[in-house]
Amino acid sequence: MTAALSPARWLLLPWHAAQILTGRKSFAGNQILGSETLNRRGLHVWRTRLAHALADRRRARLAHLVSEGDREDFRRDGFVCRPDFLPPDRFQALTEQLAALAVPAREMREGDAVTRRIAVTPALLRQAPALRDLLESPTWRGLTRYVGSFDTEPMVYIQTIFAKADPGSAEDPQTSLHIDTFHPTMKAWFFLHDVADDEGPLTYVAGSHRLTPRRLAWQKRRSVEATRAGAGSKGGAFRLDARELPRLRWPAARRFAVRGNTLVVGDTGGLHARAYSPKATVRVEIYAYSRPAPFNPLTRSGPYSIPAIGRRQVGVYYALHDLLVPLRLMRRTWRRTPPVSPTAPRPEWD
């Protein structure tokens, strides 16, 4: 922290201190999290260690939800991959029901990629009962909760990724290896179509979710770098050049060029990315993520642990987004679309 603080900054100190034990990852706007001195002394590493230790304890209490084989795969790799997840008839019913949908969606552009998301709500599940069966299956529920370390409903979408949707724009930032934040989080991808190796598949560095001494040293170095002038906005969501992997004793990222009907559930506190796609491609998947408060020692996280409430959380998020953006209290991220199918052609952007 700076040697002299203005009165306003002194008044903010208690609020900034309280954020140490929250999921806040950005170093910007917080004089404690963004302190070069404190991060040199290990503040960021301390938060990371504590959050991972609590996640390990929660997972131990949720271990009965998954098989021993899945627990071992996750411990070793940081993800669980399940090909042929649904029986063929149920998978066919699911893809047919989703292709027939025409519902409102939201879209976002990052570089030359466009992401379309359709919120999975109770109303949508009544139109697609095969999707409801997927989300209620013991294996889906067990893996998403165990990997996420919380017995809570994840946010679920039907997601369509349009790679090279705007070739004149900058490269998709999601193609750089990164961790989502400093603490364990869960993301799941259930692929509805085959994904070829040159179609921007998901990639993940196996074992990078574990806090090895080299990973902690890398995070400490990056936390110090992020506190310097102009670098504070991305604290906690650090990126890594693939050429650095050998130095950190990590393998090359695994590329999930998989057939449709494959489920991948991973801890995105580990290094992952969307592989570069040399051509315009479309990827459709059921996408879920869970990021509750990392310092909560309990396996349940508020009302979203109740399925009937948890499946409404995407609607709550969108309502807050639409309320706060006009007030300039939140950055506009997603734009509305008319009713659309997950497989409809890519949008045109102004």
Side-chain angles (χ1 to χ4, degrees), residues 89-264:
D89 58 333
R90 289 175 56 191
F91 181 62
Q92 181 178 351
L94 174 63
T95 56
E96 289 176 352
Q97 289 174 18
L98 297 185
L101 291 175
V103 290
R106 304 270 177 141
E107 293 170 349
M108 174 184 67
R109 182 169 61 183
E110 290 184 289
D112 60 3
V114 172
T115 300
R116 171 186 297 153
R117 286 184 182 169
I118 295 172
V120 174
T121 63
L124 186 141
L125 292 176
R126 288 192 288 271
Q127 298 181 61
L131 177 55
R132 181 195 61 220
D133 292 343
L134 168 68
L135 302 185
E136 292 179 353
S137 70
T139 305
W140 169 277
R141 289 175 57 84
L143 283 173
T144 55
R145 283 154 174 76
Y146 178 76
V147 172
S149 82
F150 281 99
D151 187 8
T152 189
E153 286 288 308
M155 300 179 80
V156 184
Y157 304 86
I158 306 167
Q159 176 168 274
T160 308
I161 306 292
F162 299 91
K164 288 288 187 291
D166 185 4
S169 298
E171 186 173 317
D172 175 9
Q174 295 298 323
T175 58
S176 298
L177 286 171
H178 61 280
I179 59 174
D180 280 353
T181 187
F182 68 92
H183 59 86
T185 59
M186 185 283 299
K187 286 184 178 177
W189 300 262
F190 180 70
F191 299 103
L192 297 172
H193 305 283
D194 296 353
V195 182
D197 191 65
D198 63 349
E199 293 181 335
L202 167 70
T203 69
Y204 193 102
V205 178
S208 62
H209 66 303
R210 297 195 299 269
L211 294 185
T212 63
R214 288 174 182 265
R215 169 168 167 164
L216 288 171
W218 169 70
Q219 281 197 229
K220 183 175 183 179
R221 185 179 75 252
R222 293 303 309 275
S223 72
V224 172
E225 293 170 352
T227 62
R228 293 170 183 162
S233 64
K234 294 296 184 181
F238 300 137
R239 297 182 180 274
L240 181 81
D241 190 307
R243 292 171 294 186
E244 295 184 68
L245 290 173
R247 182 169 59 83
L248 294 170
R249 296 185 181 173
W250 281 325
R254 173 172 170 177
R255 299 168 67 91
F256 288 90
V258 297
R259 295 186 62 82
N261 197 17
T262 296
L263 172 66
V264 178

Side-chain angles (χ1 to χ4, degrees), residues 57-58 61-62 149-152 296-301 305:
R57 293 179 186 179
R58 291 190 300 266
R61 297 198 293 274
L62 297 172
S149 82
F150 281 99
D151 187 8
T152 189
N296 179 1
L298 306 177
T299 57
R300 289 185 174 268
S301 181
S305 298

